[in-house]
PDB file of all heavy atoms in Angstrom:
ATOM      1  N   PHE A  13       2.168  -8.441   4.709  1.00 96.00           N
ATOM      2  CA  PHE A  13       0.794  -8.793   5.034  1.00 96.00           C
ATOM      3  C   PHE A  13       0.033  -9.155   3.768  1.00 96.00           C
ATOM      4  O   PHE A  13       0.450  -8.868   2.650  1.00 96.00           O
ATOM      5  CB  PHE A  13       0.084  -7.648   5.753  1.00 96.00           C
ATOM      6  CG  PHE A  13      -0.271  -6.477   4.868  1.00 96.00           C
ATOM      7  CD1 PHE A  13      -1.563  -6.336   4.382  1.00 96.00           C
ATOM      8  CD2 PHE A  13       0.673  -5.538   4.515  1.00 96.00           C
ATOM      9  CE1 PHE A  13      -1.898  -5.267   3.563  1.00 96.00           C
ATOM     10  CE2 PHE A  13       0.351  -4.462   3.708  1.00 96.00           C
ATOM     11  CZ  PHE A  13      -0.939  -4.328   3.220  1.00 96.00           C
ATOM     12  N   SER A  14      -1.103  -9.815   3.982  1.00 96.00           N
ATOM     13  CA  SER A  14      -2.030 -10.175   2.911  1.00 96.00           C
ATOM     14  C   SER A  14      -3.285  -9.315   3.024  1.00 96.00           C
ATOM     15  O   SER A  14      -3.778  -9.065   4.131  1.00 96.00           O
ATOM     16  CB  SER A  14      -2.403 -11.655   3.019  1.00 96.00           C
ATOM     17  OG  SER A  14      -3.518 -11.962   2.210  1.00 96.00           O
ATOM     18  N   THR A  15      -3.803  -8.894   1.886  1.00 97.00           N
ATOM     19  CA  THR A  15      -5.059  -8.132   1.896  1.00 97.00           C
ATOM     20  C   THR A  15      -6.274  -9.056   1.939  1.00 97.00           C
ATOM     21  O   THR A  15      -7.409  -8.579   2.051  1.00 97.00           O
ATOM     22  CB  THR A  15      -5.178  -7.234   0.659  1.00 97.00           C
ATOM     23  OG1 THR A  15      -5.301  -8.041  -0.513  1.00 97.00           O
ATOM     24  CG2 THR A  15      -3.961  -6.320   0.519  1.00 97.00           C
ATOM     25  N   LYS A  16      -6.031 -10.374   1.832  1.00 96.00           N
ATOM     26  CA  LYS A  16      -7.129 -11.356   1.770  1.00 96.00           C
ATOM     27  C   LYS A  16      -8.147 -10.904   0.711  1.00 96.00           C
ATOM     28  O   LYS A  16      -7.773 -10.612  -0.420  1.00 96.00           O
ATOM     29  CB  LYS A  16      -7.754 -11.564   3.144  1.00 96.00           C
ATOM     30  CG  LYS A  16      -6.750 -12.068   4.178  1.00 96.00           C
ATOM     31  CD  LYS A  16      -7.419 -12.575   5.431  1.00 96.00           C
ATOM     32  CE  LYS A  16      -6.361 -13.098   6.401  1.00 96.00           C
ATOM     33  NZ  LYS A  16      -6.982 -13.731   7.576  1.00 96.00           N
ATOM     34  N   MET A  17      -9.442 -10.808   1.066  1.00 97.00           N
ATOM     35  CA  MET A  17     -10.439 -10.318   0.114  1.00 97.00           C
ATOM     36  C   MET A  17     -11.068  -9.024   0.644  1.00 97.00           C
ATOM     37  O   MET A  17     -12.211  -8.695   0.339  1.00 97.00           O
ATOM     38  CB  MET A  17     -11.512 -11.386  -0.130  1.00 97.00           C
ATOM     39  CG  MET A  17     -12.138 -11.321  -1.521  1.00 97.00           C
ATOM     40  SD  MET A  17     -13.289 -12.694  -1.866  1.00 97.00           S
ATOM     41  CE  MET A  17     -14.693 -12.223  -0.844  1.00 97.00           C
ATOM     42  N   TYR A  18     -10.269  -8.277   1.417  1.00 98.00           N
ATOM     43  CA  TYR A  18     -10.757  -7.031   1.990  1.00 98.00           C
ATOM     44  C   TYR A  18     -10.625  -5.846   1.041  1.00 98.00           C
ATOM     45  O   TYR A  18     -11.417  -4.910   1.104  1.00 98.00           O
ATOM     46  CB  TYR A  18      -9.996  -6.709   3.283  1.00 98.00           C
ATOM     47  CG  TYR A  18     -10.326  -7.611   4.447  1.00 98.00           C
ATOM     48  CD1 TYR A  18      -9.380  -8.477   4.970  1.00 98.00           C
ATOM     49  CD2 TYR A  18     -11.586  -7.589   5.033  1.00 98.00           C
ATOM     50  CE1 TYR A  18      -9.672  -9.302   6.048  1.00 98.00           C
ATOM     51  CE2 TYR A  18     -11.896  -8.399   6.107  1.00 98.00           C
ATOM     52  CZ  TYR A  18     -10.932  -9.256   6.613  1.00 98.00           C
ATOM     53  OH  TYR A  18     -11.234 -10.077   7.675  1.00 98.00           O
ATOM     54  N   PHE A  19      -9.596  -5.862   0.188  1.00 98.00           N
ATOM     55  CA  PHE A  19      -9.307  -4.701  -0.648  1.00 98.00           C
ATOM     56  C   PHE A  19      -9.957  -4.843  -2.025  1.00 98.00           C
ATOM     57  O   PHE A  19      -9.928  -5.922  -2.626  1.00 98.00           O
ATOM     58  CB  PHE A  19      -7.799  -4.552  -0.863  1.00 98.00           C
ATOM     59  CG  PHE A  19      -7.045  -3.936   0.275  1.00 98.00           C
ATOM     60  CD1 PHE A  19      -7.498  -4.029   1.579  1.00 98.00           C
ATOM     61  CD2 PHE A  19      -5.846  -3.271   0.037  1.00 98.00           C
ATOM     62  CE1 PHE A  19      -6.780  -3.479   2.630  1.00 98.00           C
ATOM     63  CE2 PHE A  19      -5.122  -2.712   1.072  1.00 98.00           C
ATOM     64  CZ  PHE A  19      -5.588  -2.812   2.371  1.00 98.00           C
ATOM     65  N   SER A  20     -10.481  -3.732  -2.546  1.00 98.00           N
ATOM     66  CA  SER A  20     -10.822  -3.653  -3.959  1.00 98.00           C
ATOM     67  C   SER A  20      -9.549  -3.376  -4.755  1.00 98.00           C
ATOM     68  O   SER A  20      -8.491  -3.077  -4.185  1.00 98.00           O
ATOM     69  CB  SER A  20     -11.820  -2.526  -4.201  1.00 98.00           C
ATOM     70  OG  SER A  20     -11.198  -1.274  -3.928  1.00 98.00           O
ATOM     71  N   HIS A  21      -9.646  -3.485  -6.075  1.00 98.00           N
ATOM     72  CA  HIS A  21      -8.498  -3.173  -6.914  1.00 98.00           C
ATOM     73  C   HIS A  21      -8.072  -1.718  -6.701  1.00 98.00           C
ATOM     74  O   HIS A  21      -6.874  -1.406  -6.581  1.00 98.00           O
ATOM     75  CB  HIS A  21      -8.847  -3.423  -8.385  1.00 98.00           C
ATOM     76  CG  HIS A  21      -7.738  -3.129  -9.335  1.00 98.00           C
ATOM     77  ND1 HIS A  21      -6.522  -3.775  -9.286  1.00 98.00           N
ATOM     78  CD2 HIS A  21      -7.647  -2.247 -10.363  1.00 98.00           C
ATOM     79  CE1 HIS A  21      -5.739  -3.315 -10.246  1.00 98.00           C
ATOM     80  NE2 HIS A  21      -6.392  -2.380 -10.900  1.00 98.00           N
ATOM     81  N   ALA A  22      -9.053  -0.829  -6.633  1.00 98.00           N
ATOM     82  CA  ALA A  22      -8.748   0.591  -6.441  1.00 98.00           C
ATOM     83  C   ALA A  22      -8.084   0.837  -5.089  1.00 98.00           C
ATOM     84  O   ALA A  22      -7.162   1.661  -4.982  1.00 98.00           O
ATOM     85  CB  ALA A  22     -10.030   1.416  -6.559  1.00 98.00           C
ATOM     86  N   ARG A  23      -8.545   0.135  -4.056  1.00 98.00           N
ATOM     87  CA  ARG A  23      -7.940   0.344  -2.734  1.00 98.00           C
ATOM     88  C   ARG A  23      -6.500  -0.160  -2.711  1.00 98.00           C
ATOM     89  O   ARG A  23      -5.642   0.457  -2.053  1.00 98.00           O
ATOM     90  CB  ARG A  23      -8.761  -0.363  -1.655  1.00 98.00           C
ATOM     91  CG  ARG A  23      -8.239  -0.086  -0.249  1.00 98.00           C
ATOM     92  CD  ARG A  23      -9.072  -0.751   0.822  1.00 98.00           C
ATOM     93  NE  ARG A  23      -8.459  -0.583   2.137  1.00 98.00           N
ATOM     94  CZ  ARG A  23      -8.886  -1.181   3.250  1.00 98.00           C
ATOM     95  NH1 ARG A  23      -9.946  -1.973   3.215  1.00 98.00           N
ATOM     96  NH2 ARG A  23      -8.261  -0.982   4.398  1.00 98.00           N
ATOM     97  N   THR A  24      -6.214  -1.258  -3.402  1.00 98.00           N
ATOM     98  CA  THR A  24      -4.834  -1.746  -3.466  1.00 98.00           C
ATOM     99  C   THR A  24      -3.928  -0.695  -4.099  1.00 98.00           C
ATOM    100  O   THR A  24      -2.832  -0.411  -3.597  1.00 98.00           O
ATOM    101  CB  THR A  24      -4.760  -3.056  -4.264  1.00 98.00           C
ATOM    102  OG1 THR A  24      -5.544  -4.054  -3.598  1.00 98.00           O
ATOM    103  CG2 THR A  24      -3.320  -3.551  -4.371  1.00 98.00           C
ATOM    104  N   LYS A  25      -4.376  -0.104  -5.200  1.00 98.00           N
ATOM    105  CA  LYS A  25      -3.581   0.932  -5.865  1.00 98.00           C
ATOM    106  C   LYS A  25      -3.390   2.141  -4.962  1.00 98.00           C
ATOM    107  O   LYS A  25      -2.299   2.704  -4.868  1.00 98.00           O
ATOM    108  CB  LYS A  25      -4.244   1.339  -7.176  1.00 98.00           C
ATOM    109  CG  LYS A  25      -4.280   0.239  -8.218  1.00 98.00           C
ATOM    110  CD  LYS A  25      -5.007   0.667  -9.481  1.00 98.00           C
ATOM    111  CE  LYS A  25      -4.202   1.724 -10.239  1.00 98.00           C
ATOM    112  NZ  LYS A  25      -4.852   2.031 -11.545  1.00 98.00           N
ATOM    113  N   SER A  26      -4.448   2.528  -4.265  1.00 98.00           N
ATOM    114  CA  SER A  26      -4.363   3.668  -3.360  1.00 98.00           C
ATOM    115  C   SER A  26      -3.423   3.377  -2.195  1.00 98.00           C
ATOM    116  O   SER A  26      -2.631   4.248  -1.780  1.00 98.00           O
ATOM    117  CB  SER A  26      -5.763   4.011  -2.831  1.00 98.00           C
ATOM    118  OG  SER A  26      -5.708   5.036  -1.863  1.00 98.00           O
ATOM    119  N   TYR A  27      -3.510   2.157  -1.662  1.00 98.00           N
ATOM    120  CA  TYR A  27      -2.637   1.765  -0.555  1.00 98.00           C
ATOM    121  C   TYR A  27      -1.177   1.862  -0.966  1.00 98.00           C
ATOM    122  O   TYR A  27      -0.345   2.427  -0.243  1.00 98.00           O
ATOM    123  CB  TYR A  27      -2.964   0.342  -0.112  1.00 98.00           C
ATOM    124  CG  TYR A  27      -2.199  -0.108   1.109  1.00 98.00           C
ATOM    125  CD1 TYR A  27      -2.783  -0.055   2.370  1.00 98.00           C
ATOM    126  CD2 TYR A  27      -0.889  -0.569   1.016  1.00 98.00           C
ATOM    127  CE1 TYR A  27      -2.090  -0.453   3.494  1.00 98.00           C
ATOM    128  CE2 TYR A  27      -0.185  -0.965   2.134  1.00 98.00           C
ATOM    129  CZ  TYR A  27      -0.788  -0.904   3.370  1.00 98.00           C
ATOM    130  OH  TYR A  27      -0.061  -1.292   4.484  1.00 98.00           O
ATOM    131  N   LEU A  28      -0.850   1.313  -2.120  1.00 98.00           N
ATOM    132  CA  LEU A  28       0.538   1.346  -2.586  1.00 98.00           C
ATOM    133  C   LEU A  28       0.999   2.783  -2.808  1.00 98.00           C
ATOM    134  O   LEU A  28       2.155   3.118  -2.516  1.00 98.00           O
ATOM    135  CB  LEU A  28       0.673   0.520  -3.863  1.00 98.00           C
ATOM    136  CG  LEU A  28       0.513  -0.991  -3.671  1.00 98.00           C
ATOM    137  CD1 LEU A  28       0.492  -1.700  -5.024  1.00 98.00           C
ATOM    138  CD2 LEU A  28       1.629  -1.549  -2.803  1.00 98.00           C
ATOM    139  N   SER A  29       0.114   3.626  -3.314  1.00 98.00           N
ATOM    140  CA  SER A  29       0.479   5.033  -3.500  1.00 98.00           C
ATOM    141  C   SER A  29       0.805   5.708  -2.179  1.00 98.00           C
ATOM    142  O   SER A  29       1.617   6.633  -2.122  1.00 98.00           O
ATOM    143  CB  SER A  29      -0.669   5.783  -4.197  1.00 98.00           C
ATOM    144  OG  SER A  29      -0.866   5.300  -5.504  1.00 98.00           O
ATOM    145  N   SER A  30       0.185   5.232  -1.090  1.00 98.00           N
ATOM    146  CA  SER A  30       0.426   5.816   0.230  1.00 98.00           C
ATOM    147  C   SER A  30       1.705   5.294   0.872  1.00 98.00           C
ATOM    148  O   SER A  30       2.428   6.052   1.527  1.00 98.00           O
ATOM    149  CB  SER A  30      -0.762   5.517   1.153  1.00 98.00           C
ATOM    150  OG  SER A  30      -1.940   6.128   0.687  1.00 98.00           O
ATOM    151  N   ILE A  31       1.999   3.986   0.716  1.00 98.00           N
ATOM    152  CA  ILE A  31       3.141   3.396   1.419  1.00 98.00           C
ATOM    153  C   ILE A  31       4.455   3.564   0.667  1.00 98.00           C
ATOM    154  O   ILE A  31       5.519   3.685   1.282  1.00 98.00           O
ATOM    155  CB  ILE A  31       2.878   1.895   1.724  1.00 98.00           C
ATOM    156  CG1 ILE A  31       3.873   1.362   2.751  1.00 98.00           C
ATOM    157  CG2 ILE A  31       2.915   1.058   0.474  1.00 98.00           C
ATOM    158  CD1 ILE A  31       3.820   1.991   4.112  1.00 98.00           C
ATOM    159  N   LEU A  32       4.411   3.589  -0.659  1.00 98.00           N
ATOM    160  CA  LEU A  32       5.657   3.610  -1.419  1.00 98.00           C
ATOM    161  C   LEU A  32       6.517   4.848  -1.162  1.00 98.00           C
ATOM    162  O   LEU A  32       7.751   4.731  -1.118  1.00 98.00           O
ATOM    163  CB  LEU A  32       5.363   3.458  -2.915  1.00 98.00           C
ATOM    164  CG  LEU A  32       4.953   2.038  -3.337  1.00 98.00           C
ATOM    165  CD1 LEU A  32       4.504   2.026  -4.797  1.00 98.00           C
ATOM    166  CD2 LEU A  32       6.098   1.061  -3.124  1.00 98.00           C
ATOM    167  N   PRO A  33       5.955   6.039  -0.973  1.00 97.00           N
ATOM    168  CA  PRO A  33       6.822   7.185  -0.660  1.00 97.00           C
ATOM    169  C   PRO A  33       7.650   6.984   0.606  1.00 97.00           C
ATOM    170  O   PRO A  33       8.797   7.439   0.679  1.00 97.00           O
ATOM    171  CB  PRO A  33       5.831   8.340  -0.507  1.00 97.00           C
ATOM    172  CG  PRO A  33       4.675   7.962  -1.374  1.00 97.00           C
ATOM    173  CD  PRO A  33       4.558   6.473  -1.219  1.00 97.00           C
ATOM    174  N   HIS A  34       7.092   6.304   1.618  1.00 97.00           N
ATOM    175  CA  HIS A  34       7.872   5.999   2.823  1.00 97.00           C
ATOM    176  C   HIS A  34       9.047   5.080   2.481  1.00 97.00           C
ATOM    177  O   HIS A  34      10.164   5.265   2.978  1.00 97.00           O
ATOM    178  CB  HIS A  34       6.990   5.294   3.863  1.00 97.00           C
ATOM    179  CG  HIS A  34       5.961   6.164   4.497  1.00 97.00           C
ATOM    180  ND1 HIS A  34       6.275   7.281   5.232  1.00 97.00           N
ATOM    181  CD2 HIS A  34       4.601   6.058   4.517  1.00 97.00           C
ATOM    182  CE1 HIS A  34       5.168   7.843   5.683  1.00 97.00           C
ATOM    183  NE2 HIS A  34       4.142   7.118   5.265  1.00 97.00           N
ATOM    184  N   LEU A  35       8.787   4.077   1.640  1.00 97.00           N
ATOM    185  CA  LEU A  35       9.784   3.053   1.365  1.00 97.00           C
ATOM    186  C   LEU A  35      10.891   3.539   0.435  1.00 97.00           C
ATOM    187  O   LEU A  35      11.990   2.975   0.441  1.00 97.00           O
ATOM    188  CB  LEU A  35       9.117   1.818   0.757  1.00 97.00           C
ATOM    189  CG  LEU A  35       7.982   1.192   1.571  1.00 97.00           C
ATOM    190  CD1 LEU A  35       7.464  -0.058   0.879  1.00 97.00           C
ATOM    191  CD2 LEU A  35       8.431   0.870   2.986  1.00 97.00           C
ATOM    192  N   THR A  36      10.600   4.548  -0.352  1.00 96.00           N
ATOM    193  CA  THR A  36      11.586   5.025  -1.323  1.00 96.00           C
ATOM    194  C   THR A  36      12.251   6.334  -0.912  1.00 96.00           C
ATOM    195  O   THR A  36      13.155   6.796  -1.603  1.00 96.00           O
ATOM    196  CB  THR A  36      10.926   5.201  -2.699  1.00 96.00           C
ATOM    197  OG1 THR A  36       9.815   6.095  -2.598  1.00 96.00           O
ATOM    198  CG2 THR A  36      10.441   3.861  -3.240  1.00 96.00           C
ATOM    199  N   ALA A  37      11.826   6.912   0.210  1.00 95.00           N
ATOM    200  CA  ALA A  37      12.425   8.175   0.663  1.00 95.00           C
ATOM    201  C   ALA A  37      13.880   7.963   1.052  1.00 95.00           C
ATOM    202  O   ALA A  37      14.229   6.973   1.707  1.00 95.00           O
ATOM    203  CB  ALA A  37      11.640   8.730   1.850  1.00 95.00           C
ATOM    204  N   GLU A  38      14.735   8.887   0.661  1.00 94.00           N
ATOM    205  CA  GLU A  38      16.171   8.739   0.910  1.00 94.00           C
ATOM    206  C   GLU A  38      16.482   8.623   2.394  1.00 94.00           C
ATOM    207  O   GLU A  38      17.360   7.848   2.802  1.00 94.00           O
ATOM    208  CB  GLU A  38      16.921   9.931   0.308  1.00 94.00           C
ATOM    209  CG  GLU A  38      18.425   9.834   0.413  1.00 94.00           C
ATOM    210  CD  GLU A  38      19.130  10.976  -0.283  1.00 94.00           C
ATOM    211  OE1 GLU A  38      18.454  11.770  -0.975  1.00 94.00           O
ATOM    212  OE2 GLU A  38      20.366  11.092  -0.120  1.00 94.00           O
ATOM    213  N   GLN A  39      15.745   9.352   3.233  1.00 95.00           N
ATOM    214  CA  GLN A  39      16.040   9.330   4.665  1.00 95.00           C
ATOM    215  C   GLN A  39      15.665   8.000   5.311  1.00 95.00           C
ATOM    216  O   GLN A  39      16.096   7.702   6.430  1.00 95.00           O
ATOM    217  CB  GLN A  39      15.317  10.471   5.394  1.00 95.00           C
ATOM    218  CG  GLN A  39      13.805  10.392   5.399  1.00 95.00           C
ATOM    219  CD  GLN A  39      13.188  11.139   4.235  1.00 95.00           C
ATOM    220  OE1 GLN A  39      13.798  11.279   3.180  1.00 95.00           O
ATOM    221  NE2 GLN A  39      11.975  11.659   4.430  1.00 95.00           N
ATOM    222  N   ASN A  40      14.880   7.183   4.622  1.00 95.00           N
ATOM    223  CA  ASN A  40      14.482   5.884   5.160  1.00 95.00           C
ATOM    224  C   ASN A  40      15.262   4.720   4.556  1.00 95.00           C
ATOM    225  O   ASN A  40      14.999   3.565   4.887  1.00 95.00           O
ATOM    226  CB  ASN A  40      12.989   5.651   4.913  1.00 95.00           C
ATOM    227  CG  ASN A  40      12.122   6.684   5.596  1.00 95.00           C
ATOM    228  OD1 ASN A  40      12.483   7.230   6.635  1.00 95.00           O
ATOM    229  ND2 ASN A  40      10.970   6.979   5.000  1.00 95.00           N
TER     230      ASN A  40
END
């Protein structure tokens, strides 16, 4: 997906901090 112009720089960093644990978890 694209964030378009909805996200601030801080929100992008926070979003990635939230999604990356799902993507890197061994069980996934």
Side-chain angles (χ1 to χ4, degrees):
F13 73 100
S14 166
T15 67
K16 301 193 178 186
M17 210 174 73
Y18 289 114
F19 281 27
S20 66
H21 180 60
R23 185 178 174 188
T24 298
K25 294 177 69 174
S26 175
Y27 185 98
L28 291 173
S29 295
S30 296
I31 195 63
L32 286 173
H34 289 299
L35 304 183
T36 57
E38 184 176 352
Q39 65 268 28
N40 299 331

